[in-house]
Amino acid sequence: MSGLQASEDRVRERLEKYLSRDENGIRKIVLNLFITGDKFTTGDVYKHLEQESCDVSYRGVSAMVGLMNTRLGILSINVTGDHNIYSLKDDYKPVVQAILTHTAQ
């Protein structure tokens, strides 16, 4: 097994476990947002969730995005400006897309 494949398998396992505890679907909404390939601040994610009529706090969204970055390792972060800017790492887009497709069924 290649190093990349082993890494993808670990991410897949962590992501499946993470989404199994997604009682209200918010985590899936956020991952679908990141799958678009754009870059987002915590504020952007929070506004998107509000538009989706999700009952969230800014602090909760900040914690969720931070966890996706540190625990799951699927986000890259740019900390050079006033706000952290997050995006989904290109290497993990296929894995995330496959899991979201699988869990939607």
Side-chain angles (χ1 to χ4, degrees):
M1 181 182 300
S2 73
L4 180 60
Q5 183 62 44
S7 178
E8 284 182 7
D9 288 347
R10 282 191 301 273
V11 166
R12 181 182 306 274
E13 187 177 311
R14 280 190 228 126
L15 198 50
E16 286 172 347
K17 190 181 232 183
Y18 180 71
L19 289 175
S20 73
R21 298 183 305 267
D22 188 19
E23 296 172 7
N24 49 19
I26 290 173
R27 294 173 181 182
K28 287 179 187 167
I29 292 170
V30 172
L31 287 170
N32 275 309
L33 178 66
F34 279 110
I35 226 44
T36 66
D38 290 336
K39 299 174 190 308
F40 303 96
T41 64
T42 299
D44 296 332
V45 176
Y46 176 73
K47 287 177 194 164
H48 179 75
L49 289 171
E50 278 192 318
Q51 290 172 349
E52 295 286 324
S53 301
C54 297
D55 184 22
V56 293
S57 69
Y58 185 88
R59 287 179 67 153
V61 172
S62 180
M64 180 180 13
V65 173
L67 184 127
M68 286 180 177
N69 179 48
T70 58
R71 282 266 180 94
L72 298 176
I74 60 173
L75 299 181
S76 63
I77 182 172
N78 179 335
V79 295
T80 56
D82 289 343
H83 301 283
N84 294 346
I85 300 173
Y86 299 92
S87 60
L88 184 61
K89 291 179 181 177
D90 288 336
D91 289 348
Y92 297 121
K93 284 181 183 177
V95 174
V96 172
Q97 184 66 61
I99 288 172
L100 289 172
T101 300
H102 175 73
T103 59
Q105 298 172 353

